């Protein structure tokens, strides 16, 4: 591929990369076997895995090839039509290879297609999702996203594509009440196909953008989740329950259904396990009856939380030094609840200081995102004041 790059048309090159990433073999979190994903109808799912684990003797790592062709490819991107651009963006993001220069070129070309109204709702949604996976918040991309409703007729988007749009907005923390309200109204009023992954992604997006209320949408998503509970992958259910709790819907009927399942032998990622644990905590603090998690799962959560706290920003160390110089007794990396760590605590005053970096905020309104706000509320519910 690197040797023949210049001989391919944009269409064939886009399709080649799409096919390679579709067949990408991914190693699971334990690294002892691989899983293969060929879910063509749900290609937007981030880091998706199939339900069946298939052992392989070798793993084909495609990322070196993608890294090798990224620079020359970025020089050709300006010639790509909307479908070819969509395929390239999706392929690189799916392979978790997101070089800045290439994605800047993709973003520039995407903007040209957007403002000339080229492409369709699928190419737009998938490309936007891919740029959000890359996680680079280009000012030009944010501006483009904020004018979406005035350029595209989003009422004609499929539910799948709308879910990708709101996921991208939430991933990049682009605050647009107009977009989120309009899409929520479409979800509520219009008939459409709700797959479990669409439900999960919409729930995550709206709960993350905590400043945007959508009560009626949550009611509908709760009903759909209950009716489709057996179609969900088990590893997605903690995200569903977590999203309802983070959004303040602790009474959602789907939550006890999820919590009462046997989670002891379910393969969950660190993030999914922590989400399940946080839902348990919230349910207990609101005095709901719920079966306790096993001691082994709680201990796993403590290990995960402590490791994540150590990897977090070290900005609070300077605050700790200032408190020490002032003679204020305090604790750093304090475990205020089992498996819930805070940056700094002054136990004598039941005061917690959280030094939250930019990733905890929705930049345009300087508001905490849903997950961070939920943590603060959780700690405050047991009598601590959070600053």
């Amino acid at each position: 591929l690197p040797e023949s790059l210049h001989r391919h048309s944009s269409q064939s090159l886009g399709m080649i990369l799409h096919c390679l990433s579709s067949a990408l073999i991914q190693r699971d979190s334990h690294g002892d076997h691989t899983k293969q994903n060929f879910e063509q109808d749900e290609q937007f799912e981030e880091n998706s895995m199939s339900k069946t684990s298939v052992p392989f003797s070798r793993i084909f790592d495609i990322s070196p090839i993608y890294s090798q062709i990224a620079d020359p490819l970025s020089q050709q991107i300006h010639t790509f039509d909307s479908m070819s651009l969509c395929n390239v963006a999706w392929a690189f993001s799916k392979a978790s290879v997101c070089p800045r220069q290439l994605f800047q070129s993709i973003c520039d070309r995407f903007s040209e297609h957007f403002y000339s109204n080229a492409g369709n709702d699928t190419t737009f949604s998938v490309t936007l999702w891919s740029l959000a996976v890359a996680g680079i918040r280009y000012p030009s991309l944010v501006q483009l996203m904020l004018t979406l409703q005035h350029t595209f007729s989003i009422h004609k988007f499929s539910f799948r594509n709308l879910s990708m749009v709101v996921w991208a907005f939430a991933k990049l923390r682009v605050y647009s009440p107009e977009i989120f309200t309009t899409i929520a109204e479409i979800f509520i009023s219009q008939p459409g196909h709700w797959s479990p992954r669409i439900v999960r992604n919409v729930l995550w997006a709206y709960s993350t953008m905590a400043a945007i209320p959508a009560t009626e949408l949550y009611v509908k998503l709760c009903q759909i989740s209950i009716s489709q509970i057996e179609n969900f992958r088990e590893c997605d259910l903690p995200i569903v329950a977590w999203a309802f709790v983070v959004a303040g819907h602790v009474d959602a009927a789907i939550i006890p259904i999820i919590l009462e399942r046997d989670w002891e032998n379910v393969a969950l990622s660190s993030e999914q396990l922590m989400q399940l644990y946080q839902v348990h905590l919230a349910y207990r603090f609101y005095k709901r009856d719920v079966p306790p998690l096993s001691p082994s799962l709680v201990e796993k959560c403590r290990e995960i939380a402590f490791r994540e706290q150590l990897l977090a920003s070290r900005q609070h160390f300077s605050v700790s030094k200032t408190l020490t110089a002032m003679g204020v007794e305090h604790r750093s990396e304090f475990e205020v609840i089992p498996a819930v760590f805070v940056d700094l605590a002054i136990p004598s005053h039941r005061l917690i200081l959280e030094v939250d970096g930019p990733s905890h905020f929705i930049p345009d309104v300087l508001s905490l995102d849903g997950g961070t706000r939920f943590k603060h509320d959780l700690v405050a519910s047991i009598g601590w004041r959070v600053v």
Side-chain angles (χ1 to χ4, degrees):
L1 182 60
E3 294 174 358
S4 62
L5 191 66
H6 64 283
R7 294 199 297 270
H8 292 289
S9 67
S10 61
Q11 289 84 359
S12 65
L13 185 57
M15 188 56 67
I16 289 169
L17 294 173
H18 178 95
C19 291
L20 284 173
S21 287
S22 295
L24 185 64
I25 299 172
Q26 301 177 339
R27 188 190 292 269
D28 76 345
S29 59
H30 300 290
D32 55 359
H33 64 278
T34 60
K35 297 181 180 181
Q36 207 164 13
N37 171 36
F38 295 99
E39 299 166 310
Q40 297 174 353
D41 60 333
E42 296 289 355
Q43 63 183 216
F44 65 94
E45 183 192 8
E46 184 181 21
N47 297 325
S48 62
M49 300 287 188
S50 65
K51 291 184 178 180
T52 306
S53 301
V54 183
F56 289 88
S57 59
R58 294 183 303 161
I59 295 176
F60 177 58
D61 185 3
I62 207 170
S63 57
I65 295 176
Y66 278 28
S67 297
Q68 188 176 353
I69 67 173
D71 285 344
L73 187 60
S74 65
Q75 306 301 318
Q76 301 180 27
I77 285 295
H78 68 281
T79 65
F80 280 42
D81 61 20
S82 59
M83 178 57 73
S84 302
L85 187 73
C86 170
N87 280 328
V88 171
W90 181 85
F92 272 82
S93 61
K94 188 70 173 178
S96 299
V97 180
C98 304
R100 192 176 186 88
Q101 181 180 351
L102 174 62
F103 273 82
Q104 178 66 71
S105 300
I106 290 173
C107 184
D108 292 343
R109 184 59 173 165
F110 180 56
S111 297
E112 294 174 7
H113 289 313
F114 177 82
Y115 290 116
S116 63
N117 211 15
N120 54 45
D121 61 317
T122 297
T123 58
F124 170 80
S125 303
V126 175
T127 307
L128 180 60
W129 175 88
S130 303
L131 288 165
V133 170
I136 305 173
R137 201 174 186 270
Y138 301 109
S140 60
L141 179 61
V142 172
Q143 184 59 40
L144 175 153
M145 293 168 72
L146 292 174
T147 61
L148 165 64
Q149 195 167 353
H150 306 291
T151 306
F152 274 86
S153 178
I154 61 176
H155 288 82
K156 297 181 181 179
F157 279 35
S158 68
F159 277 19
R160 172 182 176 271
N161 290 337
L162 286 174
S163 74
M164 296 170 72
V165 169
V166 293
W167 186 92
F169 270 78
K171 177 69 174 176
L172 295 174
R173 304 296 196 270
V174 176
Y175 182 76
S176 175
E178 184 182 15
I179 292 291
F180 274 83
T181 300
T182 300
I183 292 179
E185 291 172 352
I186 295 172
F187 282 142
I188 293 166
S189 62
Q190 295 185 10
H193 171 65
W194 285 99
S195 73
R197 288 178 194 143
I198 293 176
V199 172
R200 184 205 64 186
N201 288 346
V202 170
L203 280 169
W204 180 86
Y206 277 85
S207 62
T208 297
M209 303 297 284
I212 301 174
T215 301
E216 289 184 58
L217 178 60
Y218 284 106
V219 172
K220 182 171 184 177
L221 290 175
C222 182
Q223 296 169 347
I224 294 170
S225 300
I226 293 173
S227 67
Q228 294 196 33
I229 187 70
E230 297 306 322
N231 295 328
F232 278 88
R233 301 184 309 169
E234 286 186 302
C235 62
D236 285 339
L237 291 175
I239 305 174
V240 171
W242 178 87
F244 278 106
V245 169
V246 166
H249 297 277
V250 184
D251 291 325
I254 186 65
I255 297 176
I257 296 174
I258 293 173
L259 292 181
E260 288 168 3
R261 299 171 79 96
D262 181 9
W263 293 100
E264 186 64 33
N265 298 311
V266 178
L268 298 176
S269 69
S270 295
E271 181 181 12
Q272 292 159 353
L273 183 56
M274 288 303 301
Q275 288 169 334
L276 180 65
Y277 179 70
Q278 290 168 6
V279 173
H280 266 266
L281 285 178
Y283 229 57
R284 280 171 42 206
F285 292 149
Y286 284 99
K287 305 190 186 307
R288 308 291 199 278
D289 292 329
V290 58
L293 286 177
S294 69
S296 61
L297 285 181
V298 174
E299 188 56 35
K300 284 182 182 178
C301 289
R302 293 189 69 193
E303 293 172 0
I304 293 167
F306 182 69
R307 184 169 62 248
E308 290 179 350
Q309 182 69 21
L310 291 178
L311 294 174
S313 170
R314 289 291 182 259
Q315 291 178 334
H316 65 278
F317 283 166
S318 61
V319 179
S320 178
K321 290 180 179 179
T322 301
L323 291 175
T324 300
M326 295 169 62
V328 178
E329 293 187 8
H330 64 283
R331 301 277 301 276
S332 184
E333 318 285 3
F334 182 65
E335 190 175 17
V336 64
I337 307 169
V340 177
F341 289 85
V342 296
D343 293 333
L344 301 161
I346 305 176
S348 61
H349 290 74
R350 302 285 289 179
L351 178 65
I352 285 172
L353 305 178
E354 283 280 76
V355 186
D356 294 322
S359 63
H360 295 275
F361 289 86
I362 300 170
D364 305 304
V365 290
L366 294 181
S367 171
L368 291 172
D369 64 27
T372 304
R373 181 183 295 185
F374 169 66
K375 179 185 175 183
H376 288 194
D377 291 345
L378 194 63
V379 173
S381 69
I382 59 169
W384 290 79
R385 187 161 64 95
V386 183
V387 177

